Each structure stands twice: as C-alpha cells, then as structure tokens.
Amino acid sequence: MIVLRARRVLVDGVLRPAAVLVDGSRIAAVGPRDVVVPGAQEITLADDEVLLPGLVDTHVHVNEPGRTEWEGFASATRAAAAGGVTTIVDMPLNSLPPTIDVPALETKRAAAQGQCHVDVAFWGGAVPGNERELRPLHEAGVVGVKCFLVDSGVPEFPPLPDPRPALRALAEFDGLLIAHAEDGALIRPASGRRYADFVASRPRASEDSAIASLLAAARSTGARVHVVHLSSAAALPLLAAAREDGVRVTVETCPHYLALTAEEVPDGDTRFKCCPPVREAGNRDALWQGLVDGTIDMVVSDHSPCTPDLKRIEDGDFGTAWGGIASLQIGLPVVWTEARARGIALADVVTWMSRRPADLVGLTHKGRIEPGADADLTVFAPDATFTVGPLHHRNPITPYAGRTLHGAVRATCLRGAPITDGDAPRGRLLSREDARV
C-alpha cells in the first residue's frame, strides 16, 4: 500500500487536503490528509504541488505505422507522460493503413505493442462505403469512429460529405461518431505567407455550416455525435440549442484555440497553421465562455505533428504547409497559463482535460481520483514557470517554443508506479471493453 498526502488533491471537482491510498494499480481509498495507514509507503507532496488525476487526451495523431517519421508510439507516449497525460486515444488517419477496418486496427495495435509509456486506446474511421465495417470495428474495441466532412489532407482517408449512412449504422449499437466539421464548399484555396489570407480562406461560416449539417443528421438518426477541435465560437448557439432539443452531441476545443490568436501569428510562421485555423482574440474569448457555461465539454490536444519539410518553414507558405500543431507534452501548462489569467480555477481546467474526455470514450476508471479508479496520477506545481524548450515529440516544431508558461508537471504515475526516463514501456493497449473494468 502507498499513501500520497497533499494539501491539494483534486477530488470530485474540488481541490482539498487529502490522502490517496493506492493498492497495486488502483486507488483503494481517499481519506483525510492525516489519516493513519499502518505499514504503508508514505509520499508527501511539497506545499507548492497539487495531486491531479492523469490527463486523458482523446485526440492524438500518432501516425504509426506508415508515417512514423512524423511521430510514433514511443515518442508520442513519452511526450504524453512528461505532460501528465496517462491515457491517449489515437486517431485513425495519417497512419498507413488508416484504421477503417479490423485488419488495419490489428496492424496498428501490433505496431504499438511494447512501445507505449502510457495507456493507448484507438478510434476507428468512417469513410464512404465502409458502413459495414463499423460494427466489427466496434466489437474489436475502438471507442468510436471519426469522419471528415471535408478533405482530410491524406488521400487514403476520403471525406464523408453525408454522414447519415454511417450514423444509421452506428445507431444500431449506440456507437459514437466524431467529426471534423468544415464545409468544403465554403473554403477557398489559400497560398502565400499572409496569415490573414489563410484565416479568410477557412471562415467561421465553413465550420458553422458543417456543424449544422452534422446536427441535423444526428437529430434524424438519433445517433451520438461529437464535434472535434471547435474553432468557431459562432457555432456555440447552434450546439447549445441542439442539445436542448435532445440531440446527443458533445464538443471539444484545443489548447491552441484557447491560447493563441490570429493577431499574434507572424506572416510566414507556419508553425501556427492548423485546420480549422486559430482565429481572432474575440473568438478566443467566446470559446472560453463556452467552456465556462458548459457548451464546450472538454479540452484535448489535436496533437498533429509532421516533419519539418512538410511544415514549409523555409518558404512560409500557409497554403502548402501541413496543418497541425504539436502540443501533447505541454497542453496542461498552455491551458492553465491562459485560465489563471482569466480567474478560472485549476480544478475546472483539469476536469476538462481528464474526467470529461475519459467519460466521452467510456473509460470511467480513468481521469479521476476516487476508489476503484486506476491510480493514474500527476504531480503538478501550478505556480512554477518554465520556458518551452526541446520536447519529447519526434519533431521539434511547435508555436509554443520559447514561451514562458505557468505550471510544471513534476511526476506522472501510471497505475500506481511513476514513469521515469529509464523505464521500459508499461502502457496498455485499451479497448472499448476496458470501459467496463
């Protein structure tokens, strides 16, 4: 038995003094900070440290196999652990083959086996014509399936302009569809170094239109849907109204939409390119309000790295650069730095980044400090500061390089044992069945 004592422990959404008793891989009990536990190994956190549940990031592009030079299971999960993330869910595209059927899922799981420093679950993919593959993928353990309503950027994962056939198939077993929602008819070709031109090429209206179509499809089929990486705050009223009408919809946003603004992006600095794009400061403020009022459910990274040549750093062309921001290792400090400046509590930030994503994918033994949950724990110093330097990501490109952030992850534990640099990988490959553990 191990007992961890801290002045601040996140329990039931509140930071309070507590002792957390860990028996093997699970949390056995949560008690008063001074509870006596005969024979237990004692760990007492420093006064400036907070004990948090391990974060759960349900939007990570690992890219292995096939594009492992972009990222890989070893590097991605090492970065996750360094950032206090103890569970990730890998996206079905950018790897080769994409995870659109059971053999591809088996190929991906084989590639991940023995490499993961944190636990890893998997999304499947919904593409035109693979409706019959969705139930087998569900039964094989994916936590849901992802589609793109617009070009995905890779030819082997084509867009699904009409999601209704997939939604009807998913509704038969209450499966979850997560959607990249942009309307290609409202997107214009972009080229050149001016960031303002790139933002104008993918206007808020393209997101709003696609989200409206997705909500209509969900309403007509009764299926569950989830909007990934919401960037347009103008869509918030649509989402709130649909939820009030009984549409089963959840929503995520990402650190870059909460911390960055279009006004600060230098022309030619393609490290900031993502799709949909980082928008204006007023839009960022409205996204924060959407989190506070509950319209947005969670914050996840959309960690989508690539090799330096694909980011077109040399010529700075936003039209041809790969769209994706790398932040898996520093998501919590990025969001916390902005939140604390707005007077938003750390407990809320961590709930958005742990319990809520875990609940989305049914991993209800993750992302919380309570009896019976996995002893996935993060020691965080919220008042510490650091400057973003080299990260564990396979490629070093991030728009946060050189920024000073608040909050340092000092230790991460996976199922009761600390993750250290010299450890052999101990992460498990999770399936949907693990939601019932």
Side-chain angles (χ1 to χ4, degrees):
M1 183 81 72
I2 300 171
V3 58
L4 296 96
R5 304 182 193 275
R7 293 181 181 273
R8 292 172 292 174
V9 181
L10 184 61
V11 181
D12 295 329
V14 177
L15 288 172
R16 61 176 175 84
V20 178
L21 283 66
V22 175
D23 187 1
S25 65
R26 297 291 181 97
I27 295 171
V30 180
R33 183 170 179 262
D34 59 356
V35 66
V36 177
V37 186
Q41 177 186 346
E42 295 272 346
I43 299 174
T44 301
L45 272 63
D47 287 348
D48 70 333
E49 295 176 338
V50 182
L51 187 64
L52 306 175
L55 304 186
V56 178
D57 192 335
T58 53
H59 196 145
V60 179
H61 293 271
V62 177
N63 307 325
E64 185 176 4
R67 293 189 175 99
T68 311
E69 68 275 14
W70 294 16
E71 191 64 279
F73 285 102
S75 54
T77 57
R78 175 61 76 191
V85 178
T86 51
T87 303
I88 67 170
V89 187
D90 175 54
M91 282 290 162
L93 71 158
N94 300 346
S95 56
L96 295 169
T99 316
I100 56 175
D101 55 30
V102 172
L105 175 64
E106 292 172 348
T107 297
K108 180 166 283 193
R109 289 176 65 91
Q113 189 68 46
Q115 291 204 75
C116 300
H117 298 277
V118 302
D119 287 352
V120 179
F122 301 91
W123 294 107
V127 296
N130 83 325
E131 294 86 0
R132 293 184 179 180
E133 304 292 342
L134 302 184
R135 183 184 287 273
L137 278 167
H138 177 79
E139 292 173 348
V142 302
V143 297
V145 295
K146 182 181 186 178
C147 74
F148 271 69
L149 304 182
V150 69
D151 179 42
S152 72
V154 290
E156 67 276 0
F157 200 94
L160 192 70
D162 181 2
R164 286 172 298 179
L167 286 171
R168 285 192 288 267
L170 291 165
E172 294 178 0
F173 49 88
D174 201 31
L176 173 65
L177 180 75
I178 69 173
H180 178 128
E182 288 183 283
D183 184 342
L186 298 177
I187 294 173
R188 303 191 303 273
S191 64
R193 296 174 54 84
R194 292 189 72 243
Y195 185 69
D197 291 344
F198 172 65
V199 174
S201 76
R202 302 184 88 103
R204 281 188 289 269
S206 68
E207 281 188 84
D208 305 342
S209 172
I211 288 170
S213 296
L214 178 69
L215 294 173
R219 183 179 283 107
S220 68
T221 59
R224 291 189 295 144
V225 295
H226 176 78
V227 177
V228 300
H229 51 51
L230 180 70
S231 143
S232 171
L236 292 172
L238 293 173
L239 292 158
R243 196 173 284 165
E244 289 178 3
D245 288 345
V247 176
R248 295 193 295 165
V249 58
T250 49
V251 191
E252 70 185 45
T253 193
C254 305
H256 37 281
Y257 301 128
L258 298 172
L260 306 176
T261 65
E263 293 90 339
E264 72 184 283
V265 178
D267 287 345
D269 195 344
T270 53
R271 296 176 303 169
F272 289 81
K273 181 182 176 180
C274 56
C275 299
V278 169
R279 303 191 188 277
E280 300 78 8
N283 183 82
R284 177 186 65 175
D285 294 343
L287 290 176
W288 275 106
Q289 182 56 44
L291 275 167
V292 170
D293 68 25
T295 306
I296 300 174
D297 300 277
M298 66 198 70
V299 181
V300 293
S301 70
D302 189 12
H303 177 71
S304 185
C306 67
T307 54
D309 60 307
L310 293 176
K311 230 15 180 168
R312 302 299 292 265
I313 298 296
E314 295 300 322
D315 62 36
D317 188 335
F318 281 101
T320 56
W322 177 258
I325 287 179
S327 67
L328 178 58
Q329 184 173 332
I330 51 174
L332 178 56
V334 167
V335 178
W336 170 234
T337 297
E338 187 69 24
R340 74 195 300 273
R342 295 170 178 269
I344 295 171
L346 177 62
D348 292 331
V349 170
V350 176
T351 299
W352 295 329
M353 301 183 77
S354 57
R355 179 183 287 263
R356 294 276 183 82
D359 289 350
L360 173 71
V361 295
L363 296 174
T364 54
H365 59 302
K366 298 285 191 182
R368 64 208 72 210
I369 296 177
E370 63 184 34
D374 280 1
D376 297 346
L377 302 167
T378 297
V379 177
F380 186 65
D383 297 323
T385 61
F386 70 99
T387 300
V388 178
L391 302 171
H392 289 290
H393 308 154
R394 183 177 296 277
N395 291 290
I397 300 169
T398 176
Y400 302 108
R403 288 186 176 233
T404 297
L405 300 176
H406 283 271
V409 174
R410 292 185 175 166
T412 305
C413 294
L414 179 67
R415 292 189 305 279
I419 304 171
T420 63
D421 286 342
D423 287 345
R426 293 187 293 108
R428 294 176 179 171
L429 305 185
L430 305 178
S431 73
R432 190 177 47 78
E433 293 300 314
D434 291 294
R436 303 175 184 173
V437 175

